[in-house]
Amino acid sequence: MKNEYRVAIIGGGIVGCSVAYHLAKFGESDVVVFEKDYLSSGSTGRCAGGIRQQWSSPHNVILAMRSVSLFEKLSRETDIDIEYKQGGYLVLSYDDQEAVQFEKNVQMQRELGLDVQIFTPRQIKERFPYVNVHEVRLATFCQTDGHANPHLANFAYARAARKLGVDILTHTEVVAVEVLHSGFKLFTNKGAVRSQILINAAGPYSREVAKMVGMDLPTESYRHQIMVTEAVKNFFDPMAISFSGNFYMRQTKHGHFIMGQGDIDEKPGLNNNVTYKFEKEMARKMSKIFPFLSKLRIVRHWSGHYNMSPDAQPIIGESPKIEGFYYAVGFSGHGFMLAPAVGEAIAQLILLGKTIEVDISELNINRFEKGIVREKNVV
Amino acid sequence: MVKTDFLIIGGGPAGLCAAIEASKRNVKTLIVDEGVELGGQLVKQTHKFFGHEGFYASVRGFEIAKRLISELGENVTVMKQTTVTGIYEDVITAYDREKDLVIEIEPKYILISVGASERFIPFENNYLPGVYGAGAVQTLMNQFKVLPGRRVLMIGSGNIGLIVSYQLLQAGAQVAAIVEIADRVGGYQVHADKVKRLGVPILLRHTIKKAIGEEKVEGAVVVQVDENFNMIPGTEKEFAVDVICVAVGLVPSVELAHMAGVKIEYIPELGGYVPYRDSHMRTNIRNIFVAGDLAGIEEATTAMIEGRIAGLAVSQEITGQNLGFELEKMQEELIEFRSGPFSHKVRKGLERFFPQYVRDYSKNSQRDLGPATKLRPIIECYENIPCNPCQTSCPSGAITVPGNINSLPVIDYSKCTSCGICVMKCPGLAIFMVQENYQPGKDLVVIPYEFLPLPEKGETVIALDRDGEEVAQAEILKVVKSANKTHLVYMLVPAGLTQTVRGFRIPQKAHSLVCRCEEVSVEEIEKAIDEGYTDYEELRRYLRIGMGPCGGRTCRVITLGILARKTRKNIKEIGFGTFRPPSMPIKFDSIIKGEIKDEK
């Protein structure tokens, strides 16, 4: 650890590591990442690894499409196999109103250049015979959606960033920040460091980190539980997901099924415990929709956090009040899949003062002054 | 009371074939069988059969059973798990084990095709658990998929001893040695060659002296014998084994035949006490027939022919049809099969009942090894056994088994297209292919291979000679998978070894696993730590340590130890990670069932 860096990033999840990697790739390697625990210990390492472009908000679609083109190159670029598979996302709707909305979404997604299909229950059955389509209204499907191993993707960015000269310090917690006339002074459990620029990529801890510089970020963390089964032979290509049905599931490269759901009774706050209620609800619901699951065994169950923003879209940009303070937070459960594009955009914003591939200006905090249009496609 | 025209006791190869012939002629037939499935010993046989296509040559025994069963007509009734317990003056009784009741049967004709039981030999401590008959080993291993032990000593080098040794090796056990009291191998040379090239020694003029162990077999003492089969003191050898498998022959099961009044004679060439019967398999009792091993210990093909003869003879009497032509054809098959030297004993034994005939066969084996520049088969078949799939499978007519089926095959290399089908088909795995100077300094050898895992293209393996000795390193050129599970492995060996290399071994990767669920080795963990993954949780996520069904019960502590050593930290300073529920894998169904019970 040096005494001074141009850029300091708080958070060693995939967002922090992606920002660090892209800064270094564009020529700025005077960067440090502070991770209070170990790499991927927060939301990244607990997520299901889905990579989806089918959103109801155009910003999310654009960001996700850019992410997909970066994910496609990531294994080659970093020399770590991130187990990326474009098996598609099958989005099932069980609700008439939602089905109507899906058709509108698909139109918007197609206008943005995304190849999305609409399947009737019969078409779903033909293509994915292992899905029980009882009560399904329709499904949308995008083949270029997919999934990857979040740990490996996180490690891939970290390793590539380190190779380019970035310092990534684990078990190094930033406990306080002093906003200087120009730049910041960070107090960590391993000593103090100065930086010109400070980036908040702290995932579930984003609000606490913002408070250190005196900013109130409107983010709140909610626990989400998730579980994985024993491995079986690979046969299930897509990520299957439903907002009205409240579930998602995919099969990993190693053959395990990983799945989860949301819980509307969940209170905001940090909580890493798990409930048996979750397993009971999942067992019943999932083995009905995917009958082959009934004989499979659950091997592990854990929880992580969605860092929610008021409209379920990420908050990305530079603080209008504190110069040099950037954030990429409030991903609302979708940080993993957006991390490549967001990392690239933030790096460009810092180094060039503007982004090139995607416009993220609408995603800054001041959007909430105009009112809130909530992203609907969230489990 | 069950009434039937034709009762067949024992649904092995003989009984099934009799039933097929009877059912073709609409004879109401009942098969009573002890087993959980029909087929007798066939269901345990995983090797390809000798013979010719008409009697399923080159097909594996359990598959022959399936084919025979599929040929049974609707007029055949089957009682499984049922044992005929007596042939009384008034009635025949059978005990149904599933229903736990005794059934009475009144048939017009009876075929007793109950086979044989295993011969046993006395030796010290032969009552210890771990001493098995070869049939029991086959039942456990091939029918119920249970390996009786890890390391086996086989007593007896007849075909059963050789075949079961090979199957034990296929199933992953070790065979310490095959012990044979005679001065030559009892079974076919091709079967012996199969186990020899896998490195199993065959100890001739040896026998077992005792089993070692208190509660179960832990070893065996083997001793040399003189020409009078007396043990020679001071020649004892000890083997550390957990199974002693006894394969010293079979004894016809004559109990039921004797109860029924069939004349029993002592004919050692047929296996000891055997029932009298004529060439149509009829005993001295007009309506009682015998076939298969009960009629004389032989093998499955002749059992099938005898079964067909009995089935035809019974059908002829019941239906009044003249089946003379069909019977004549089957008699000719028997003569054909029994003309070779291995049937000498059987012929001698049967001479006691009726005259025996033989057909001439050729003893000329292939001598020319063919043109070195061509990929071509080398046939290592030097014994006159009744078998000809090499001839019948060859698409270009290059291989001939001249005259009688016991003749040796010869090959016309100018007609051979190097297709390899004969290599896949040969039941004795006695055909290889070679080509000299395939690449500069490299010869090509093609091996028939029936083990898992298959080697992969490009993999380096250790080439073995006919005695299983290592001779060189070889490179796998390609693997041709075959539907009959005799796969062809093409490998490159150093020049000059085409007539030496006859097998290979995949070298064991010498690594010690830390996480046995996900197969993560010490080396992989050390490498990951060197790459900078210095947290237990990072290692877990990077290498999948502890992500298997056990949840890291054993590997966690070992990994922490490696981490402490490599990072020079005290183990207390390293986070030990998280334990996640459930602590054992739980089925979705079990959760749902519990919930439903709760609701009630």
Side-chain angles (χ1 to χ4, degrees):
Chain A
M1 185 164 83
K2 299 189 292 180
N3 297 331
E4 196 166 349
Y5 291 89
R6 171 127 192 259
V7 183
I9 300 168
I10 299 178
I14 192 163
V15 173
C17 290
S18 168
V19 172
Y21 167 72
H22 283 101
L23 280 168
K25 189 181 160 188
F26 299 144
E28 181 56 82
S29 59
D30 190 14
V31 178
V32 64
V33 177
F34 292 112
E35 166 53 51
K36 75 184 180 101
D37 212 334
Y38 50 87
L39 292 179
S40 89
S41 56
S43 296
T44 303
R46 299 161 186 276
C47 83
I51 298 166
R52 159 161 66 105
Q53 303 160 95
Q54 300 177 66
W55 296 92
S56 73
S57 122
H59 298 301
N60 276 339
V61 177
I62 293 164
L63 262 182
M65 285 174 71
R66 178 64 192 160
S67 263
V68 163
S69 60
L70 294 173
F71 269 121
E72 285 168 350
K73 297 189 281 194
L74 188 54
S75 291
R76 218 172 338 117
E77 220 171 290
T78 60
D79 208 24
I80 285 188
D81 177 8
I82 62 160
E83 299 173 2
Y84 182 48
K85 181 182 174 87
Q86 287 180 299
Y89 246 72
L90 180 69
V91 190
L92 297 156
S93 177
Y94 293 87
D95 177 272
D96 291 328
Q97 238 180 325
E98 186 193 47
V100 173
Q101 179 64 39
F102 271 15
E103 285 172 356
K104 285 184 199 157
N105 291 352
V106 167
Q107 197 179 348
M108 173 273 290
Q109 291 157 359
R110 283 176 180 162
E111 276 164 20
L112 292 171
L114 194 62
D115 187 4
V116 190
Q117 292 162 274
I118 295 179
F119 289 159
T120 62
R122 199 170 155 174
Q123 287 168 317
I124 301 167
K125 199 78 207 160
E126 274 167 23
R127 184 133 179 200
F128 308 103
Y130 38 75
V131 179
N132 175 3
V133 294
H134 181 64
E135 291 186 351
V136 171
R137 301 295 188 274
L138 58 77
T140 64
F141 181 76
C142 174
Q143 185 68 62
T144 53
D145 286 346
H147 49 76
N149 181 323
H151 315 134
L152 296 179
N154 197 156
F155 296 155
Y157 274 131
R159 186 160 93 169
R162 274 176 170 149
K163 267 193 191 156
L164 295 171
V166 171
D167 277 350
I168 298 181
L169 307 174
T170 60
H171 301 282
T172 310
E173 182 174 5
V174 175
V175 290
V177 177
E178 190 185 338
V179 181
L180 306 174
H181 176 66
S182 165
F184 305 87
K185 186 171 185 185
L186 283 66
F187 299 89
T188 79
N189 58 348
K190 302 218 173 126
V193 177
R194 289 166 72 108
S195 78
Q196 289 297 303
I197 289 163
L198 177 62
I199 303 172
N200 176 358
Y205 314 98
S206 63
R207 197 165 193 169
E208 287 68 25
V209 167
K211 272 187 193 145
M212 292 180 197
V213 296
M215 178 184 185
D216 186 30
L217 267 176
T219 58
E220 277 191 304
S221 293
Y222 286 81
R223 172 177 71 168
H224 277 248
Q225 301 186 54
I226 181 166
M227 67 186 192
V228 67
T229 70
E230 63 192 318
V232 291
K233 202 174 165 192
N234 278 86
F235 67 94
F236 193 98
D237 288 336
M239 172 82 127
I241 182 170
S242 177
F243 316 114
S244 45
N246 186 24
F247 68 84
Y248 61 80
M249 180 175 89
R250 74 168 173 111
Q251 189 176 20
T252 69
K253 184 192 173 188
H254 305 275
H256 309 268
F257 280 91
I258 185 164
M259 63 191 82
Q261 65 169 358
D263 183 352
I264 47 165
D265 297 330
E266 202 62 61
K267 304 280 179 291
L270 295 171
N271 176 4
N272 276 327
N273 296 327
V274 291
T275 65
Y276 187 57
K277 173 174 164 261
F278 172 84
E279 287 183 29
K280 283 194 288 186
E281 287 174 2
M282 287 298 284
R284 197 169 270 210
K285 172 166 63 185
M286 299 307 274
S287 56
K288 203 175 279 177
I289 303 166
F290 307 100
F292 61 85
L293 288 175
S294 61
K295 299 279 174 264
L296 271 188
R297 298 180 294 177
I298 301 165
V299 295
R300 207 159 50 251
H301 169 191
W302 66 97
S303 61
H305 292 87
Y306 280 22
N307 187 232
M308 297 299 295
S309 75
D311 60 1
Q313 299 189 67
I315 307 173
I316 309 169
E318 185 183 4
S319 163
K321 291 181 185 139
I322 306 160
E323 200 192 329
F325 183 61
Y326 292 78
Y327 32 76
V329 298
F331 283 94
S332 309
H334 312 111
F336 169 70
M337 57 181 87
L338 298 178
V342 169
E344 179 189 62
I346 295 261
Q348 289 169 349
L349 199 61
I350 289 169
L351 300 176
L352 313 168
K354 60 172 187 189
T355 59
I356 298 168
E357 280 80 11
V358 287
D359 178 9
I360 55 167
S361 57
E362 294 284 321
L363 288 171
N364 208 335
I365 190 151
N366 44 18
R367 72 175 183 264
F368 300 117
E369 292 159 14
K370 301 177 213 158
I372 290 166
V373 184
R374 200 181 150 85
E375 169 62 54
K376 295 179 187 68
N377 289 4
V378 180
V379 171
Chain B
M1 171 76 73
V2 180
K3 291 195 177 189
T4 186
D5 288 339
F6 187 20
L7 168 66
I8 296 174
I9 309 173
L16 283 174
C17 284
I20 290 166
E21 293 299 339
S23 89
K24 272 193 221 162
R25 288 156 189 97
N26 251 328
V27 172
K28 194 178 158 200
T29 303
L30 169 65
I31 304 177
V32 177
D33 191 272
E34 283 190 320
V36 285
E37 47 189 325
L38 285 181
Q41 300 300 309
L42 286 177
V43 298
K44 313 175 193 171
Q45 308 308 326
T46 55
H47 62 284
K48 293 181 290 190
F49 274 49
F50 295 98
H52 66 68
E53 282 173 346
F55 283 95
Y56 314 100
S58 216
V59 180
R60 296 181 192 279
F62 67 98
E63 282 163 345
I64 297 177
K66 281 186 206 158
R67 290 199 199 177
L68 294 177
I69 292 163
S70 74
E71 285 180 49
L72 294 176
E74 279 181 11
N75 40 23
V76 179
T77 312
V78 177
M79 288 185 185
K80 284 188 264 194
Q81 300 197 49
T82 305
T83 305
V84 171
T85 49
I87 300 183
Y88 297 82
E89 183 186 277
D90 47 352
V91 78
I92 293 169
T93 53
Y95 172 64
D96 182 329
R97 283 206 303 284
E98 263 194 315
K99 298 198 188 101
D100 188 23
L101 55 86
V102 176
I103 303 155
E104 294 176 41
I105 307 169
E106 201 184 284
K108 289 187 186 140
Y109 286 83
I110 305 170
L111 169 66
I112 311 177
S113 46
V114 291
S117 47
E118 286 191 86
R119 199 182 280 281
F120 215 68
I121 46 168
F123 55 87
E124 207 177 315
N125 295 337
N126 68 352
Y127 54 85
L128 283 177
V131 178
Y132 289 87
V137 167
Q138 280 195 312
T139 306
L140 279 175
M141 177 169 70
N142 297 345
Q143 205 172 358
F144 298 112
K145 318 283 185 276
V146 176
L147 205 54
R150 294 265 142 230
R151 202 168 147 80
V152 183
L153 181 72
M154 182 65 67
I155 312 298
S157 73
N159 275 335
I160 296 179
L162 296 172
I163 290 168
V164 174
S165 295
Y166 183 72
Q167 292 169 353
L168 280 161
L169 294 165
Q170 284 180 307
Q174 294 175 336
V175 179
I178 299 173
V179 177
E180 170 59 55
I181 198 162
D183 56 2
R184 56 187 294 272
V185 168
Y188 293 160
Q189 187 191 341
V190 288
H191 278 322
D193 288 348
K194 272 161 56 183
V195 289
K196 273 201 221 158
R197 60 179 180 257
L198 292 163
V200 177
I202 301 181
L203 306 176
L204 300 176
R205 286 208 172 186
H206 277 75
T207 191
I208 181 161
K209 186 177 177 189
K210 66 185 266 190
I212 305 171
E214 293 288 323
E215 309 250 294
K216 59 182 171 93
V217 171
E218 284 161 17
V221 178
V222 165
V223 64
Q224 221 173 309
V225 296
D226 62 22
E227 46 289 6
N228 299 319
F229 303 122
N230 295 317
M231 296 184 187
I232 304 172
T235 60
E236 289 85 357
K237 294 184 188 74
E238 253 184 55
F239 287 89
V241 293
D242 56 358
V243 170
I244 296 170
C245 181
V246 182
V248 295
L250 301 170
V251 189
S253 302
V254 295
E255 312 83 55
L256 290 175
H258 186 255
M259 282 179 217
V262 174
K263 197 165 89 191
I264 307 293
E265 290 195 32
Y266 184 72
I267 304 179
E269 292 85 354
L270 297 180
Y273 290 102
V274 288
Y276 165 81
R277 40 65 164 222
D278 65 13
S279 64
H280 282 185
M281 311 311 296
R282 191 197 304 260
T283 66
N284 54 307
I285 312 260
R286 188 193 60 84
N287 65 340
I288 298 186
F289 290 70
V290 290
D293 274 352
L294 167 62
I297 303 300
E298 216 173 341
E299 43 75 58
T301 308
T302 47
M304 286 190 273
I305 304 173
E306 287 182 349
R308 293 208 183 252
I309 291 173
L312 287 165
V314 169
S315 303
Q316 181 166 262
E317 294 210 2
I318 290 177
T319 64
Q321 290 175 44
N322 180 0
L323 299 173
F325 175 73
E326 286 82 352
L327 279 163
E328 198 55 41
K329 221 175 98 188
M330 287 299 149
Q331 295 293 354
E332 188 51 44
E333 289 278 10
L334 271 186
I335 293 170
E336 176 90 13
F337 270 94
R338 285 185 180 144
S339 288
F342 277 91
S343 296
H344 172 73
K345 260 169 69 180
V346 170
R347 288 198 309 270
K348 198 174 156 212
L350 289 174
E351 283 280 358
R352 297 270 297 271
F353 295 146
F354 49 89
Q356 295 294 307
Y357 305 94
V358 291
R359 302 279 175 261
D360 273 346
Y361 55 86
S362 155
K363 290 178 186 164
N364 295 329
S365 65
Q366 178 75 29
R367 302 217 178 261
D368 169 23
L369 295 177
T373 48
K374 179 174 174 167
L375 178 61
R376 63 202 191 278
I378 300 295
I379 305 181
E380 302 196 339
C381 175
Y382 309 115
E383 281 179 341
N384 294 94
I385 53 180
C387 186
N388 71 1
C390 51
Q391 169 182 269
T392 49
S393 68
C394 177
S396 61
I399 303 178
T400 358
V401 176
N404 179 273
I405 192 170
N406 284 284
S407 297
L408 297 178
V410 285
I411 177 160
D412 178 350
Y413 281 115
S414 67
K415 287 187 188 165
C416 173
T417 61
S418 320
C419 68
I421 290 176
C422 56
V423 186
M424 283 178 191
K425 285 284 180 178
C426 176
L429 305 190
I431 308 183
F432 307 85
M433 289 206 291
V434 300
Q435 182 179 1
E436 288 76 2
N437 213 17
Y438 177 82
Q439 276 174 10
K442 299 272 181 194
D443 291 350
L444 177 60
V445 177
V446 183
I447 304 283
Y449 195 64
E450 297 183 329
F451 285 77
L452 290 174
L454 288 174
E456 278 172 28
K457 186 181 167 180
E459 199 173 337
T460 302
V461 297
I462 298 159
L464 306 174
D465 67 10
R466 292 182 178 84
D467 294 319
E469 297 288 338
E470 299 181 6
V471 285
Q473 283 208 335
E475 186 197 330
I476 302 297
L477 187 67
K478 68 172 171 179
V479 178
V480 177
K481 285 197 195 174
S482 158
N484 80 353
K485 303 281 164 73
T486 303
H487 308 297
L488 302 191
V489 176
Y490 288 62
M491 56 186 198
L492 291 175
V493 300
L497 292 179
T498 53
Q499 299 308 325
T500 306
V501 171
R502 288 297 176 264
F504 68 88
R505 182 163 67 71
I506 299 174
Q508 290 282 315
K509 277 183 207 131
H511 62 185
S512 37
L513 293 184
V514 173
C515 170
R516 288 170 295 175
C517 298
E518 296 289 329
E519 300 186 354
V520 185
S521 68
V522 177
E523 295 76 29
E524 286 170 283
I525 294 171
E526 288 177 341
K527 185 164 168 272
I529 295 170
D530 289 339
E531 286 172 27
Y533 300 95
T534 49
D535 265 272
Y536 173 73
E537 283 289 340
E538 281 177 2
L539 285 171
R540 197 171 82 92
R541 289 157 190 227
Y542 187 53
L543 298 174
R544 312 186 51 75
I545 303 165
M547 285 199 179
C550 89
R553 210 158 283 169
T554 53
C555 56
R556 189 184 300 253
V557 176
I558 303 172
T559 307
L560 289 170
I562 298 171
L563 254 177
R565 169 165 57 80
K566 293 278 290 182
T567 57
R568 293 169 193 277
K569 278 187 189 166
N570 190 315
I571 206 157
K572 277 185 271 179
E573 296 170 51
I574 304 168
F576 61 83
T578 320
F579 291 90
R580 314 266 192 215
S583 64
M584 67 169 279
I586 295 294
K587 268 204 310 253
F588 277 70
D589 256 2
S590 316
I591 293 173
I592 297 168
K593 274 189 215 152
E595 221 190 334
I596 291 169
K597 196 168 168 239
D598 242 17
E599 285 165 4
K600 282 178 187 162

